[in-house]
């Protein structure tokens, strides 16, 4: 299985801050990477697909980049409603695998 | 608006079989554009892919669970189901059903907690 490693595991930031999360794959996955947001007690929500494409209806402050093994997820200006855990997921190889998550908190 | 809803027992005894059903509304499970899948999340932990099914009945199972998993589809009821046999406490998790664009879950059910305990 492809291992997905996210960093940091947790992050505290202030409203308005630029926030960056990284995801590293154990092998080349091209751009076959998604990013999800999961709020407590809720199902994950797809934000970014194919590494950099914004899902319909997702605010433009969210963005993704990268290819190969190294990927970045960015929130350009943190809002209070962005408090959640964020996961990356590769779908280049079966089984699809997820990162361990990054818990984002407000400072 | 597409909606998915998991249903099934919230408590299963060790060594027994976990059975869940996902009912799809607001769209057809027979659409050729989508697969349908199950993903689980142990309490406080990350996400694990269980498996997926196409409306034709073609399936994919995560090799780590393959010997215990069966996913089936009932197009007449717009439902698909998960069976996981010989469960242990390690199978305690929130189980999500999802619509898949191949291997990207784009719509999720709300999830259902299944606890394995005697």
């Amino acid at each position: 299985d492809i291992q997905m490693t996210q960093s940091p595991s947790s992050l505290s930031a202030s409203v308005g801050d630029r926030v960056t999360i990284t995801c590293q794959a154990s092998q080349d996955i091209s751009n076959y990477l998604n990013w999800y947001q999961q709020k407590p007690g809720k199902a994950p929500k797809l934000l970014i697909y194919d590494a950099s494409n914004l899902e319909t209806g997702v605010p433009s402050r969210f963005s993704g980049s990268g290819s190969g093994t190294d990927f970045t997820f960015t929130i350009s200006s943190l809002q209070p409603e962005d408090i959640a855990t964020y996961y990356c997921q590769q779908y280049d190889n079966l089984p699809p695998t997820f990162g361990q998550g990054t818990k984002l908190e407000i400072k | 608006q597409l909606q998915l809803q998991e249903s099934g027992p919230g408590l299963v005894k060790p060594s027994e079989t976990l059975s869940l059903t996902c009912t799809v509304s607001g769209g057809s499970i027979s659409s050729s554009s989508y697969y349908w899948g199950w993903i689980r999340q142990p309490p406080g932990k990350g996400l694990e892919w269980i498996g997926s099914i196409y409306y034709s009945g073609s399936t994919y199972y995560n090799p780590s669970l393959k010997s215990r998993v069966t996913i089936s589809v009932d197009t007449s009821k717009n439902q698909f189901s998960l069976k996981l046999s010989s469960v242990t406490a390690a199978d305690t998790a929130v189980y999500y059903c999802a619509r898949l664009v191949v291997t990207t879950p784009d719509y999720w059910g709300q999830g259902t907690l299944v606890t394995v305990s005697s």
Side-chain angles (χ1 to χ4, degrees):
Chain A
D1 297 4
I2 295 177
Q3 304 304 312
M4 305 301 294
T5 304
Q6 285 182 236
S7 63
S9 296
S10 63
L11 175 59
S12 181
S14 300
V15 172
D17 281 355
R18 182 181 183 87
V19 170
T20 298
I21 299 168
T22 64
C23 181
Q24 185 170 60
S26 59
Q27 64 187 68
D28 190 331
I29 59 169
S30 185
N31 68 329
Y32 298 121
L33 185 101
N34 297 323
W35 289 97
Y36 298 88
Q37 175 192 66
Q38 186 177 34
K39 296 185 177 181
K42 300 294 187 181
K45 174 186 176 183
L46 178 65
L47 299 180
I48 304 280
Y49 62 94
D50 293 347
S52 60
N53 292 309
L54 201 64
E55 178 75 343
T56 302
V58 174
S60 59
R61 65 180 180 273
F62 297 101
S63 65
S65 64
S67 66
T69 61
D70 296 303
F71 301 87
T72 300
F73 172 81
T74 300
I75 306 174
S76 61
S77 178
L78 185 66
Q79 301 301 304
E81 61 266 31
D82 299 336
I83 298 313
T85 299
Y86 292 85
Y87 293 93
C88 60
Q89 178 225 341
Q90 69 81 21
Y91 53 98
D92 181 54
N93 276 16
L94 294 175
T97 49
F98 296 85
Q100 81 280 13
T102 296
K103 186 174 183 179
L104 180 55
E105 297 174 329
I106 291 285
K107 192 180 295 183
Chain B
Q1 176 75 349
L2 187 76
Q3 292 188 330
L4 296 90
Q5 179 67 58
E6 304 90 350
S7 59
L11 181 64
V12 181
K13 290 182 168 57
S15 79
E16 296 189 344
T17 296
L18 178 160
S19 296
L20 295 174
T21 295
C22 182
T23 300
V24 179
S25 58
S28 174
I29 204 168
S30 299
S31 169
S32 59
S33 300
Y34 304 109
Y35 292 73
W36 306 89
W38 291 95
I39 296 159
R40 70 180 182 177
Q41 185 172 36
K45 297 188 178 180
L47 298 156
E48 181 181 29
W49 193 276
I50 299 172
S52 60
I53 192 164
Y54 196 53
Y55 76 95
S56 62
S58 174
T59 55
Y60 167 79
Y61 301 139
N62 189 325
S64 68
L65 298 168
K66 187 173 184 176
S67 64
R68 300 193 291 129
V69 171
T70 303
I71 298 175
S72 58
V73 64
D74 186 338
T75 55
S76 67
K77 294 182 178 179
N78 229 31
Q79 295 176 334
F80 62 106
S81 298
L82 169 70
K83 291 188 185 299
L84 181 66
S85 64
S86 305
V87 297
T88 70
D91 296 309
T92 293
V94 175
Y95 286 76
Y96 294 101
C97 61
R99 187 182 81 170
L100 309 175
V101 179
V102 188
T103 47
T104 290
D106 66 345
Y107 277 90
W108 299 63
Q110 65 185 23
T112 188
L113 174 63
V114 179
T115 302
V116 179
S117 175
S118 55

